[in-house]
Amino acid sequence: MNHAYNAQNLGLSRRHVLGGAAGLAAAVAVGLPPGTATAATVQTEPDLVRWRKQAAHVTITRDDWGIPHVVGETDADAVFGMIYAQAEDDFNRIENNYLVALGRLAEADGETAIWQDLRQRLFIDPEELKRDYAKCPGWLRKLMQAWADGLNYYLATHPDVRPRVLRRFEPWMPLSFSEGSIGGDIERVPLSQLESFYGDRTVAMSDEEVARLSEEPKGSNGMAIAPSHTKNGHALLLINPHTSFFFRSEQHVTSEEGLNVYGAATWGQFFIYQGFNANTGWMHTSSGVDNVDEFSETIVTGANGRRFYRYGDKLRPVTTKRITLSYRTADGGRAKRTFNTFATHHGPIVREADGRWIAFALMNKPVEALQQSYLRTKTRDYDGYLKVAAFKANSSNNTLFADSKGDIAFLVPQFMPVRDNRFDYRRPVDGSDPATDWRGLHSLASLPQVVNPDNGWTFNTNNWPWTAAGADSPKAGDYPRYFDQAGENPRGPQAIRVLSARRDFTPETLIAAAFDPFLTAFERLLPGLVASWDDLPADDARKERLSDPIGLLRGWDCRWSADSKATSLAVFWGEALWTATAPAASAAGLSTWDYMAERATDAQRLTALVEATDRLTRDFGGWEVPWGEINRFQRNDGAIVQQFDDAKPSIPVPFASSRWGSLASFGARQYPGTKRWYGTSGNSFVAVVEFGPRLRAWAVTAGGASGHPDSPHFNDQAERYASGDLRPVYFYPDDLKGHVERSYRPGT
């Protein structure tokens, strides 16, 4: 197959021909590197007049944590100020998110990013998005224009900021990034297999891709507690996304048109993704539903070389599309690669397997998704929230909901295609069989959900829906199997444990529950290890060697703390056993936790403990090491990919990875040149909200609000973050009194 063709030399100054079976060619333009361009090259005087006029209707107030409280006369004014404030705090992350979303990352990062860009552009076409923008409702176009104007005004008033690529933002661009999940559906397409197909060469799956096939969904805890189970008789909501650190901006955004929303906005977006207003709150958790599918296509090549695919008893033509991508060369110039890409009615072709082409089907409703993402922030009760959900443009996230009327709910993603339950959609299905096709979307009423359960609470920890409200949960047998492919995880039983412990929750006790230190996975796994050691013959060398480590773990209460040596040993042992058993677990169709508990051999358990003690001794001088000496939070710089250094300041973090059942999650590991483990994901923005007559809320953000190392708010929340000490949220104007750092208009 020759899926790429030589690009035309369109008057560019020199040409570089790339070898390889695909015969790819690139045209290289010698010129200024993208980072040398300034905003001044793309602004006009009419632009500045318009931007200044809108800025006069916006006030940004920074509180004593650096959190921006944005007030605009209209929603559009508020959006203008919201995105301007984001750019002040971390323009780099805004631009990077749009380079990814637009399929232009290689223009900044070079040719290594070309396959990520191609994957994006198989689904996102800028020209189509421009046409979609023209069809958007007028109110939405106003917000999108204000978004672009706010970013462009920021660049115009900060000539020292040098974008890597995007020197001017256009109002259609938010349609490329219309929901705020940590991992979009598109990331399920392995880049190695995409490169193998369109690059005409075999590329092995990376270790990361292989691991992703068997890992549990990441992304958060949410809990909603009904008034019947709270001391004050008000609904409570826990907002606890587990994302990469510094992934979102904490903001408060209000207007005179009814907008009054607080929470976390993904950098570059003009809606609060995880958050609340005075009446409603929403927490999104990555879902285990199956609404992204692969179709195995039978390709037939005609006498003239034209390709078709079999569908029923007919042949349909394969759709072809040329996609041209730019990338940055090593000398700072630009090159282009053009690909012939293919698609069927199921979706773009992304790889080949067993001689058949694989089409990838996912939700692609950018206009509806952007409307749903924004309008939910202005809802006033559950009925209003459900009305917005009728857009059915949330595909990747569950929702935990609470409101001031006392309603609570758990909802699965609303984009759920109806399918024939005879087929196993966890694997590619036969695209030539019309019976495998999607048949519209499920109605909202037909989805698994929990609304005001008798037990008084509901939750999700990226696990299945079938325990979301204890005995009042949906029943798996009532739904097609594609409503869950995640199963249970160790955080699920831990959530049930803490939620079932009392009927008089307060905001303070909900915070304590969110940071409860019990590790359910080790409660299940350690008895097997201890039994394996107990069964060793007395003359086995491991009997004496592992006696003290077994003694430490035998007496441990399975609770993390910074001082706990048992936590360190258990985590190192668990990681070693996970590595040894994960491939077999995947092959057996079991979760790795189940496999470790039920099928790991005595030898595997004991060998993992030997490896754990050896590794601790090698890295820290002995196997008895307090967990806080290992598990650290460090923020050295504002780079998206940070460099860690044992010689630089860091602070201990007591909580562990969610892998072991910790509700408060801290995903840490060693990095090149380090012995200590440094976190890059897990608890990021954490909030607890009480929906009384007057809303009360508490929150903390990993590190701080600013992405600039010289800002006092770069790392001022680190100690609070590590200790679970949430700070009061200043939601009302009188809350802000005495806590104002500065107040200003954009551009001043």
Side-chain angles (χ1 to χ4, degrees):
M1 297 176 296
N2 185 6
H3 305 305
Y5 65 96
N6 290 347
Q8 297 293 321
N9 182 0
L10 302 176
L12 298 175
S13 56
R14 63 191 182 100
R15 181 179 172 98
H16 177 63
V17 179
L18 304 177
L24 299 174
V28 183
V30 177
L32 291 175
T36 64
T38 66
T41 62
V42 290
Q43 69 189 41
T44 65
E45 187 59 32
D47 287 336
L48 287 171
V49 170
R50 186 177 77 255
W51 298 340
R52 288 170 183 153
K53 182 178 180 180
Q54 188 151 35
H57 298 292
V58 179
T59 300
I60 301 172
T61 299
R62 297 278 180 170
D63 67 26
D64 47 15
W65 295 100
I67 307 300
H69 299 254
V70 180
V71 178
E73 292 185 12
T74 66
D75 282 8
D77 295 334
V79 164
F80 181 98
M82 177 187 189
I83 201 66
Y84 183 95
Q86 283 187 30
E88 287 184 303
D89 288 334
D90 208 327
F91 175 79
N92 184 36
R93 291 180 190 274
I94 294 174
E95 184 184 22
N96 194 77
N97 281 346
Y98 277 92
L99 292 177
V100 171
L102 294 167
R104 298 182 63 181
L105 187 61
E107 294 179 41
D109 289 357
E111 193 174 9
T112 56
I114 203 80
W115 301 108
Q116 183 173 347
D117 286 352
L118 179 61
R119 179 177 66 182
Q120 196 74 12
R121 292 287 294 278
L122 288 175
F123 299 91
I124 299 294
D125 184 337
E127 296 307 314
E128 290 182 9
L129 294 184
K130 292 173 186 178
R131 291 191 288 272
D132 287 340
Y133 170 74
K135 300 174 186 176
C136 284
W139 67 265
L140 185 59
R141 288 199 307 273
K142 288 181 181 178
L143 301 187
M144 296 163 77
Q145 184 65 60
W147 171 89
D149 287 347
L151 284 172
N152 291 328
Y153 189 47
Y154 169 78
L155 291 176
T157 54
H158 294 76
D160 55 319
V161 174
R162 295 177 177 270
R164 293 190 293 163
V165 174
L166 300 176
R167 294 177 293 150
R168 186 178 179 90
F169 290 84
E170 300 293 339
W172 57 268
M173 289 180 175
L175 292 173
S176 71
F177 191 29
S178 53
E179 69 95 45
S181 175
I182 180 66
D185 296 332
I186 199 171
E187 293 182 8
R188 302 189 195 186
V189 176
L191 293 179
S192 61
Q193 303 308 293
L194 187 74
E195 182 178 356
S196 292
F197 186 79
Y198 287 109
D200 268 347
R201 62 194 185 94
T202 301
V203 180
M205 292 185 72
S206 68
D207 292 342
E208 181 181 0
E209 288 174 335
V210 172
R212 192 178 297 137
L213 295 177
S214 60
E215 71 181 0
E216 83 281 8
K218 290 184 173 64
S220 321
N221 307 319
M223 297 178 181
I225 303 177
S228 62
H229 279 59
T230 66
K231 183 176 180 179
N232 298 328
H234 305 144
L236 295 173
L237 180 67
L238 169 68
I239 298 173
N240 184 198
H242 296 168
T243 68
S244 53
F245 293 161
F246 327 124
F247 183 71
R248 296 193 175 108
S249 168
E250 184 176 346
Q251 297 185 282
H252 184 198
V253 188
T254 65
S255 79
E256 296 177 11
E257 294 182 339
L259 183 67
N260 185 11
V261 60
Y262 193 106
T266 308
W267 294 107
Q269 294 183 326
F270 61 79
F271 53 86
I272 296 295
Y273 186 67
Q274 312 274 24
F276 52 91
N277 58 44
N279 295 291
T280 64
W282 52 95
M283 167 61 211
H284 298 306
T285 62
S286 296
S287 181
V289 300
D290 176 11
N291 54 13
V292 173
D293 292 324
E294 292 187 315
F295 293 84
S296 179
E297 310 286 18
T298 301
I299 303 300
V300 177
T301 303
N304 61 355
R306 190 179 182 189
R307 295 181 177 88
F308 299 84
Y309 66 101
R310 194 171 301 281
Y311 185 68
D313 58 0
K314 297 180 180 179
L315 292 178
R316 292 185 173 187
V318 172
T319 301
T320 62
K321 181 179 181 180
R322 293 180 178 180
I323 296 177
T324 298
L325 303 172
S326 297
Y327 65 92
R328 181 185 175 112
T329 59
D331 62 0
R334 292 285 184 90
K336 293 180 183 292
R337 291 179 68 170
T338 302
F339 300 88
N340 271 342
T341 66
F342 307 102
T344 70
H345 75 282
H346 295 119
I349 302 298
V350 298
R351 64 187 179 92
E352 186 174 4
D354 300 323
R356 301 181 78 175
W357 290 9
I358 306 299
F360 197 82
L362 49 67
M363 184 191 84
N364 195 354
K365 301 170 63 177
V367 175
E368 294 89 341
L370 190 56
Q371 291 182 84
Q372 183 170 347
S373 294
Y374 182 79
L375 289 174
R376 73 164 68 100
T377 70
K378 299 186 73 172
T379 56
R380 293 294 176 261
D381 54 25
Y382 177 71
D383 289 341
Y385 193 92
L386 209 60
K387 183 177 180 181
V388 173
F391 280 107
K392 297 183 181 180
N394 166 23
S395 67
S396 59
N397 289 281
N398 304 313
T399 302
L400 279 302
F401 174 90
D403 68 21
S404 59
K405 293 182 177 179
D407 293 323
I408 64 170
F410 161 77
L411 307 173
V412 299
Q414 294 84 51
F415 181 85
M416 283 300 300
V418 177
R419 284 153 285 180
D420 190 325
N421 202 36
R422 293 177 299 159
F423 301 103
D424 184 0
Y425 287 89
R426 295 172 298 177
R427 299 172 177 82
V429 293
D430 184 1
S432 68
D433 183 353
T436 64
D437 268 12
W438 290 358
R439 295 176 295 176
L441 297 178
H442 277 273
S443 68
L444 297 185
S446 69
L447 302 175
Q449 58 186 298
V450 173
V451 182
N452 297 327
D454 291 339
N455 71 315
W457 50 259
T458 185
F459 80 95
N460 185 257
T461 62
N462 316 118
N463 59 338
W464 54 19
W466 321 129
T467 55
D472 298 309
S473 304
K475 305 297 185 256
D478 294 340
Y479 299 92
R481 55 183 168 174
Y482 52 73
F483 275 106
D484 174 61
Q485 58 181 353
E488 186 56 283
N489 63 45
R491 282 176 290 139
Q494 170 66 344
I496 293 174
R497 176 179 165 272
V498 299
L499 287 168
S500 301
R502 61 195 314 143
R503 298 174 61 92
D504 61 347
F505 275 98
T506 64
E508 292 77 13
T509 57
L510 181 53
I511 293 171
F515 287 86
D516 186 280
F518 194 66
L519 298 172
T520 53
F522 291 123
E523 180 187 40
R524 184 184 183 197
L525 295 174
L526 287 177
L529 171 63
V530 171
S532 295
W533 183 85
D534 286 343
D535 291 341
L536 284 175
D539 59 353
D540 191 302
R542 294 170 295 179
K543 195 75 171 181
E544 179 178 357
R545 179 179 180 183
L546 297 177
S547 175
D548 289 342
I550 287 291
L552 180 63
L553 294 175
R554 192 194 298 268
W556 182 43
D557 61 2
C558 296
R559 296 175 182 275
W560 50 250
S561 74
D563 297 329
S564 172
K565 298 175 183 178
T567 301
S568 303
L569 182 59
V571 169
F572 274 58
W573 171 74
E575 294 288 344
L577 187 60
W578 185 285
T579 300
T581 58
S586 179
L590 294 174
S591 75
T592 306
W593 301 291
D594 288 343
Y595 193 96
M596 288 195 297
E598 300 167 7
R599 298 195 186 183
T601 65
D602 290 342
Q604 286 175 319
R605 293 187 178 106
L606 293 169
T607 297
L609 187 57
V610 170
E611 292 175 356
T613 56
D614 286 349
R615 185 180 177 190
L616 282 163
T617 300
R618 181 186 70 240
D619 291 346
F620 300 99
W623 62 267
E624 294 183 276
V625 186
W627 179 233
E629 289 296 312
I630 299 170
N631 203 48
R632 312 290 289 189
F633 180 90
Q634 185 178 81
R635 195 177 193 192
N636 294 326
D637 54 54
I640 293 174
V641 179
Q642 179 174 245
Q643 300 299 310
F644 296 102
D645 189 337
D646 285 343
K648 293 184 178 180
S650 63
I651 62 173
V653 175
F655 40 96
S657 167
S658 63
R659 172 177 283 182
W660 310 119
S662 181
L663 291 174
S665 175
F666 192 72
R669 64 176 178 86
Q670 285 182 330
Y671 286 84
T674 75
K675 299 294 186 183
R676 286 174 155 173
W677 293 18
Y678 295 98
T680 57
S681 65
N683 276 20
S684 48
F685 170 72
V686 185
V688 164
V689 189
E690 181 182 51
F691 292 96
R694 180 183 172 94
L695 180 139
R696 296 194 300 159
W698 295 257
V700 71
T701 292
S706 175
H708 302 291
D710 57 352
S711 167
H713 304 301
F714 178 70
N715 210 33
D716 57 338
Q717 297 185 54
E719 293 285 354
R720 282 182 175 268
Y721 167 84
S723 60
D725 182 15
L726 278 60
R727 51 181 171 70
V729 165
Y730 310 135
F731 187 76
Y732 297 99
D734 57 326
D735 293 335
L736 264 175
K737 290 180 180 178
H739 299 287
V740 174
E741 189 173 84
R742 62 191 178 107
S743 189
Y744 58 99
R745 297 195 186 280
T748 61

